[in-house]
Amino acid sequence: MESDGGSCAGDEIVLAFDDHAYPGALRHVHAPPSRLYVRGRLSACPEELSSPAIAIVGARDATAYGLAFARSLARELAQAGLCVVSGLALGIDGAAHRGALDAGGTTIAVLGTGTDILYPRAHRALRDEILARGAVVSELPPGTPPRREHFPQRNRIISGLALGVVVVEATLKSGSLVTAQHALEQGREVFAVPGPVTSARSRGPHALLKRGARLVESVDDVLLELPPGVLRPRTAGGAATGLSPELAELLTAIRDGASTVDAMAARTDTRIPEILNQLLLLELRGLVVRGPGGLYVATADAAASGTARAEGGVDSPPDER
């Protein structure tokens, strides 16, 4: 492992365990960090470290499919108002951070070095963007170089800052499975993205699925598992952010007056169980509310957005390595 030993710009703060701004979720994990070093925009508002977050982790030598899915998923999670946490490693971690930044969201990188050390070197530009829009954090003091034992150790912080961990591509010996195990021990949700059965990178996620991890095929599979009231939709000029085509169609139907479940099913040609799942997602995002008599109405956030913006497919990110 190499470090250029260079310093990165940005004020650093140190949060002690008994500091009021120390992330509450981390207080209850096994062996919580006694100190947390924070550098970047969030150093000025460390309370945001406790914002609802999802961690995305996976293989360093990820495939184009894995990189694209991780980036797209992170972008949609950020659009839903969630912070994205990862470890700034090559591959899936980098794609996750970039996806959150694509959406103008907040992302936190948990380091296996001091916060003043640039590692890996290939992520200099990405790290600068994270410092401007989120934070890099570490339990290691400034000047600490990358050592092999630091990276499994920091994984408990990645999972500890999040409501759940999504694993995208990982071998059976991957550090991503260590993060998933920490998540289980911490009472967090564990999610896994399936892949080709012939790929060694699919074995980690598939092993998690066999043990009961939540299957992730789209962002909705994550959002449905979040506690009620967690999501606070991000807005841009009052606009509700990215919806799937199905959710956009349903929200349009509600705006147009189809306010009962039966009416929505008829209007969108969708089965009632699917309508109920979609309504739950819209409620979680704060875009609809259920009124007396089972009537659904769009909220002010939905009204401000005009026609919901549907996003299809995934971007093909540049080579993260």
Side-chain angles (χ1 to χ4, degrees):
M1 296 182 180
E2 296 181 356
S3 167
D4 69 359
S7 294
C8 295
D11 294 332
E12 181 179 70
I13 63 169
V14 183
L15 296 177
F17 182 82
D18 58 357
D19 193 297
H20 76 280
Y22 187 96
L26 275 185
R27 294 183 190 274
H28 306 291
V29 306
H30 176 68
S34 60
R35 290 181 177 82
L36 204 61
Y37 298 86
V38 182
R39 186 183 295 268
R41 184 184 68 80
L42 297 190
S43 66
C45 44
E47 293 80 6
E48 287 191 38
L49 293 170
S50 297
S51 298
I54 293 292
I56 301 178
V57 296
R60 286 173 170 80
D61 58 340
T63 66
Y65 158 78
L67 293 172
F69 189 91
R71 187 167 182 171
S72 175
L73 178 65
R75 184 182 67 241
E76 293 181 288
L77 289 170
Q79 287 169 339
L82 292 161
C83 174
V84 174
V85 180
S86 198
L88 197 62
L90 298 173
I92 297 300
D93 288 19
H97 291 304
R98 289 193 184 280
L101 294 169
D102 288 345
T106 302
T107 185
I108 296 171
V110 183
L111 308 183
T113 68
T115 64
D116 60 333
I117 301 297
L118 174 64
Y119 183 83
R121 291 186 181 188
H123 277 169
R124 179 183 294 276
L126 175 60
R127 191 176 194 271
D128 288 346
E129 289 185 58
I130 294 171
L131 287 168
R133 304 259 287 279
V136 296
V137 305
S138 178
E139 66 179 323
L140 302 168
T144 303
R147 297 192 179 100
R148 188 174 299 276
E149 63 270 19
H150 292 163
F151 293 90
Q153 179 180 326
R154 63 88 191 265
N155 290 344
R156 79 191 193 288
I157 302 175
I158 293 176
S159 57
L161 286 171
L163 295 166
V165 173
V166 182
V167 178
V168 185
E169 297 192 329
T171 65
L172 290 174
K173 295 183 178 180
S174 169
S176 300
L177 296 197
V178 175
T179 308
Q181 183 60 40
H182 284 307
L184 288 171
E185 294 168 355
Q186 295 163 354
R188 275 48 166 178
E189 292 286 351
V190 176
F191 304 89
V193 178
V197 296
T198 55
S199 172
R201 298 180 189 87
S202 300
R203 290 175 187 163
H206 290 185
L208 292 173
L209 290 169
K210 290 175 182 178
R211 293 169 55 190
R214 305 290 185 179
L215 174 72
V216 176
E217 295 177 317
S218 74
V219 69
D220 292 345
D221 294 317
V222 178
L223 298 179
L224 274 171
E225 298 301 325
L226 299 182
V230 162
L231 293 183
R232 296 291 184 269
R234 297 184 67 255
T235 60
T241 52
L243 298 177
S244 68
E246 294 79 14
L247 292 181
E249 181 184 15
L250 182 58
L251 186 55
T252 299
I254 294 171
R255 290 199 192 98
D256 289 347
S259 56
T260 68
V261 172
D262 287 342
M264 286 181 264
R267 174 72 181 268
T268 61
D269 194 26
T270 306
R271 294 184 302 126
I272 286 178
E274 294 176 18
I275 289 286
L276 293 172
N277 281 336
Q278 292 169 6
L279 284 170
L280 175 58
L281 288 169
L282 291 175
E283 285 187 272
L284 286 172
R285 296 187 185 205
L287 298 177
V288 301
V289 293
R290 186 173 185 267
L295 300 178
Y296 286 84
V297 295
T299 65
D301 281 340
S305 72
T307 301
R309 177 166 55 90
E311 298 195 18
V314 296
D315 293 339
S316 296
D319 186 355
E320 300 291 341
R321 294 177 295 278

